[in-house]
Amino acid sequence: ALAKSLKGAREAMEAGGIIAIFPEGELTKNGNLMKFNKGFEKIAKNSNCPIIPAHIGNLWGSIFSFKNGSPGLKRPCKFPYPVSVRFGKPLASTTSAAEARRVIAELGAEYAIEKSQLPRQTLNHTFLRQARGHWFRPIASDTLGNRSTYGKLLIGSIALANRIKPIIKGQKNIGIYMPTSLGGVVANLAMSISGKTAVNLNWTASSEAMQSAIKQSRIKYVITSRRFMQKIEQPDIPTRWLYLEDLLKNLGHIERFRAIRAALFASPKHLAGGREPQPSDTAAIIFSSGTTGTPKGVMLSHANLLANIDSVQSVQAFNKNDALCGTLPLFHAFAYLGLFWWPLLKGIRVAYHPNPLQTSRVIRLIREEKLTALLTTPTFLQNYMRKASAQDFQTLETVITGGEKLRPELAKHFNEHFGIQPLEGYGCTELSPVALLSLKNGNRVGSAGQPLPGVAVRIVDPETRETRPEGEEGLMLVKGPNVMQGYLDQPQKTDEVLRDGWYNTGDIARMDPNGFVTLTGRLSRFSKIAGEMVPHGMIEEALQRATRSDMPCVAVVSTVDSKKGEQLAVCYTPEAGEPQKLIAKLRELKLPNLWIPRAGNFLRIPELPLLATGKLDLRALNAFVQQG
């Protein structure tokens, strides 16, 4: 039957007909683009007939999709249901299925970029609609004893905005120096509602990094909490501190009435001081972690963040019955999107705790609040797994990790202990931050997942930028509505990583026919030894396996070699064991000789330095190696 249909299609085409092919062959079960079958290659072979790529957008969620059940009438039904069709430039008749899939994915990214710029596609418009439509629904709480419904949260944010507007008049960027708590959420909401750009400052950063962020973003005012400042050392920065307790102190009846009235009826334009919020407005400036150098200010627009939320929600559909555990700091892009805007805009209850390192308290929060989802880093997940019992996590249904690579053995052990397969996401601050995501009904061991709907990925030659064939390693580029506006006041650095809408991730990866992307290392985390590129990440993985330790206890960096240009250095903790034994294990694994560090290049370190997000602090490691 298949041969007959292909022959019939070929005959129709030769007679001048237009043949429409659905190369996936079946409806997607998770919203992602699937593998393209090669039937159309046989039809087009030796025909000299052009192949016209066509992308159909917005079908996921319609009555013809598997979203929320099998295809058919569902509640709520939306009529009419808007669908887009976008055609690309003609392709040669010799085009492969993999190449056609890539082109159509890129058409999807172009459609998503245009869609993100439609009027009223802002965080402000969306949050007001959500809050007013679910006024009495509990939405957020924290371990400081605070709880809030949508209505209470909106009123409190507007009251704070009203109090602070006369003080910050004329300022665009406002600093926020708050822990992960309901107070931090209210401060961020107040700034967004007021039409300001929030700059969540990294309170774990060095004084030098803090002052750099303040200077770059020209911040004069920083919102914080007296309660928080009593627990940490107050940084010496040239700004005026605005304390949340003082700003909300002694609210009068008239002020409360005005805040309630505005929460119920005011337009986003009115709340923002008379200017209609636009999708292209910069919603937040998030400074990169600075693991390899001075932090850069990444400008993310309303369109960037809102499009990323819609993409993530379309494939990982949390609902009102779900509840998130929020412990990561809001100065990190993963938390700013995943634990702040995502739950608030999609009606997902969230419970906050300010310190992810307090393992026992986080476990108790999950148990007491009956949380169903955990967004965290693999490092913190490792800590939770070591102390939690199956009963502690009996309500957990979804675990998503990001910020660093999820080791397959960690995912396996967690699944064995708790019956939950941790999912891996990939992204960076410049991508708002999510670009790839594994799903319960779509994942591969060792893969960081598939591109989100509306996000396109190219694997190219690092030097020529020519597209690499399917399955081959290369530099990963990303395009979509989630790609940042640019680096704050650094057009040259922006141009270095952005070209024709494509963001250079700096990561080396490969992509399979189903779109699953496997990361093999960072371009910056390779050493060029005797003309060969040696990957630090793969050596780290081999060393970690050799240690037989559940906890990360080795890290590979490069140092100068007068003869070969570079050489490998290994920082290891006492848990790793003796260097000679580790080297012997690497030889047993048959790693190339260039990949095996010399025994004299193993440097013992009390513990691996980590950032507040749990990521390895490469800058500190490099400094240690240079000193040692």
Side-chain angles (χ1 to χ4, degrees):
L2 177 61
K4 186 177 180 180
S5 65
L6 293 177
K7 181 182 178 183
R10 174 70 180 225
E11 290 173 351
M13 180 187 67
E14 290 175 344
I18 296 176
I19 309 302
I21 299 291
F22 183 54
E24 291 170 283
E26 60 179 318
L27 295 178
T28 177
K29 300 296 193 303
N30 57 24
N32 281 326
L33 198 62
M34 298 188 297
K35 178 181 178 180
F36 277 20
N37 296 318
K38 297 185 177 182
F40 76 87
E41 292 182 8
K42 295 180 180 180
I43 298 172
K45 187 177 181 181
N46 300 324
S47 69
N48 203 30
C49 181
I51 297 171
I52 312 296
H55 175 270
I56 306 173
N58 214 37
L59 274 181
W60 182 246
S62 73
I63 62 173
F64 301 105
S65 74
F66 276 95
K67 187 177 181 181
N68 301 325
S70 299
L73 292 175
K74 307 165 189 172
R75 288 187 176 182
C77 282
K78 182 178 180 181
F79 293 104
Y81 194 91
V83 174
S84 75
V85 181
R86 191 181 190 92
F87 295 98
K89 294 178 180 179
L91 305 175
S93 60
T94 54
T95 301
S96 67
E99 176 66 8
R101 185 185 186 279
R102 182 185 66 79
V103 170
I104 288 180
E106 293 175 11
L107 288 175
E110 292 173 7
Y111 160 70
I113 291 170
E114 286 187 5
K115 183 182 176 185
S116 71
Q117 296 298 327
L118 293 174
R120 295 184 292 281
Q121 291 293 310
T122 73
L123 300 168
N124 298 11
H125 286 87
T126 309
F127 177 69
L128 281 175
R129 287 195 298 268
Q130 182 71 15
R132 288 168 178 170
H134 305 89
W135 192 263
F136 297 106
R137 180 188 293 178
I139 188 61
S141 63
D142 62 28
T143 50
L144 301 176
N146 303 305
R147 292 186 177 274
S148 183
T149 60
Y150 265 117
K152 184 179 177 182
L153 188 59
L154 180 54
I155 292 169
S157 301
I158 291 175
L160 176 61
N162 289 341
R163 276 279 180 98
I164 205 172
K165 278 178 185 176
I167 303 173
I168 62 174
K169 189 175 182 181
Q171 299 299 307
K172 177 59 178 173
N173 303 333
I174 307 298
I176 299 176
Y177 194 79
M178 294 282 290
T180 308
S181 61
L182 203 53
V185 168
V186 170
N188 274 279
L189 276 175
M191 292 305 94
S192 182
I193 287 170
S194 302
K196 304 298 182 183
T197 299
V199 185
N200 284 273
L201 297 170
N202 184 347
W203 34 268
T204 68
S206 65
S207 176
E208 178 187 356
M210 180 86 69
Q211 291 185 19
S212 173
I214 295 286
K215 183 179 180 180
Q216 288 183 60
S217 47
R218 301 184 186 88
I219 290 174
K220 292 186 177 180
Y221 298 93
V222 178
I223 303 172
T224 189
S225 159
R226 290 189 183 279
R227 183 174 181 175
F228 178 54
M229 294 298 263
Q230 289 170 0
K231 294 185 177 182
I232 65 170
E233 184 178 346
Q234 181 167 326
D236 182 18
I237 53 178
T239 59
R240 177 182 170 187
W241 295 99
L242 302 175
Y243 297 100
L244 206 60
E245 295 90 339
D246 298 345
L247 291 167
L248 293 174
K249 191 176 181 179
N250 298 326
L251 280 174
H253 294 300
I254 294 177
E255 283 182 291
R256 291 176 185 273
F257 172 74
R258 286 175 176 169
I260 294 171
R261 183 179 62 184
L264 289 170
F265 305 113
S267 67
K269 179 179 178 179
H270 175 79
L271 292 172
R275 180 185 176 277
E276 185 77 25
Q278 300 297 319
S280 58
D281 290 346
T282 303
I285 297 171
I286 300 180
F287 282 85
S288 59
S289 56
T291 56
T292 57
T294 304
K296 298 183 290 290
V298 178
M299 299 185 293
L300 299 177
S301 68
H302 286 259
N304 289 150
L305 294 162
L306 193 54
N308 207 215
I309 291 167
D310 287 343
S311 290
V312 173
Q313 177 68 12
S314 70
V315 294
Q316 178 56 66
F318 288 131
N319 57 48
K320 64 180 181 181
N321 297 318
D322 285 300
L324 289 177
C325 178
T327 61
L328 299 177
L330 295 181
F331 56 72
H332 190 268
F334 185 25
Y336 185 74
L337 180 114
L339 301 177
F340 170 44
W341 283 117
W342 187 12
L344 262 57
L345 299 188
K346 299 301 179 181
I348 310 160
R349 183 169 66 88
V350 56
Y352 295 110
H353 180 68
N355 191 347
L357 293 171
Q358 293 176 336
T359 303
S360 298
R361 187 65 187 90
V362 173
I363 293 170
R364 182 153 62 95
L365 176 67
I366 293 172
R367 183 179 65 246
E368 292 177 350
E369 292 289 333
K370 296 180 172 56
L371 304 181
T372 66
L374 172 64
L375 273 61
T376 189
T377 67
T379 298
F380 295 142
L381 187 66
Q382 177 90 55
N383 296 337
Y384 304 151
M385 184 180 75
R386 296 180 72 184
K387 284 196 173 183
S389 67
Q391 189 174 2
D392 290 325
F393 286 171
Q394 64 180 343
T395 60
L396 268 186
E397 298 174 0
T398 305
V399 174
I400 300 176
T401 65
E404 56 183 300
K405 185 176 176 60
L406 174 65
R407 293 181 288 115
E409 56 269 27
L410 171 58
K412 180 184 177 183
H413 291 162
F414 194 90
N415 193 12
E416 290 172 350
H417 278 77
F418 306 107
I420 306 167
Q421 178 65 44
L423 305 174
E424 184 173 4
Y426 164 86
C428 56
T429 308
E430 290 86 344
L431 297 174
S432 301
V434 191
L436 311 173
L437 188 63
S438 294
L439 304 172
K440 292 179 182 178
N441 59 348
N443 66 79
R444 297 281 189 280
V445 176
S447 167
Q450 295 170 293
L452 290 174
V455 175
V457 167
R458 271 187 191 175
I459 308 297
V460 302
D461 183 284
E463 295 182 2
T464 66
R465 294 297 179 95
E466 291 183 3
T467 303
R468 283 279 173 87
E470 197 174 74
E472 288 192 12
E473 287 186 1
L475 179 66
M476 182 165 67
L477 309 180
V478 175
K479 186 177 187 177
N482 58 321
V483 174
M484 67 169 180
Q485 293 177 307
Y487 293 122
L488 179 64
D489 292 337
Q490 297 192 58
Q492 186 175 352
K493 287 194 174 183
T494 300
D495 292 341
E496 289 174 4
V497 297
L498 281 181
R499 189 183 301 175
D500 298 326
W502 290 94
Y503 171 68
N504 178 359
T505 65
D507 285 307
I508 302 299
R510 63 177 181 271
M511 186 161 60
D512 72 11
N514 290 291
F516 285 96
V517 177
T518 300
L519 301 169
T520 57
R522 280 196 65 77
L523 194 60
S524 61
R525 293 208 67 205
F526 279 73
S527 291
K528 197 161 188 176
I529 303 176
E532 183 177 330
M533 297 298 285
V534 179
H536 297 180
M538 294 181 74
I539 299 170
E540 267 178 17
E541 288 182 16
L543 282 167
Q544 187 63 47
R545 288 200 303 272
T547 67
R548 296 185 177 180
S549 171
D550 289 335
M551 295 297 293
C553 52
V554 289
V556 177
V557 295
S558 65
T559 185
V560 177
D561 185 297
S562 57
K563 295 181 179 179
K564 296 183 179 180
E566 289 182 276
Q567 59 180 322
L568 298 172
V570 178
C571 297
Y572 70 101
T573 67
E575 291 82 7
E578 293 302 317
Q580 293 292 357
K581 291 183 179 180
L582 295 177
I583 291 172
K585 281 287 186 182
L586 293 183
R587 296 195 189 283
E588 287 178 18
L589 293 171
K590 297 182 178 180
L591 264 66
N593 287 333
L594 281 178
W595 292 28
I596 299 178
R598 296 199 295 263
N601 285 2
F602 277 74
L603 304 174
R604 185 162 171 155
I605 191 170
E607 60 181 5
L608 296 180
L610 301 177
L611 298 169
T613 56
K615 293 174 67 174
L616 194 63
D617 191 340
L618 294 173
R619 192 178 187 186
L621 278 176
N622 282 315
F624 176 77
V625 170
Q626 298 305 322
Q627 292 170 3

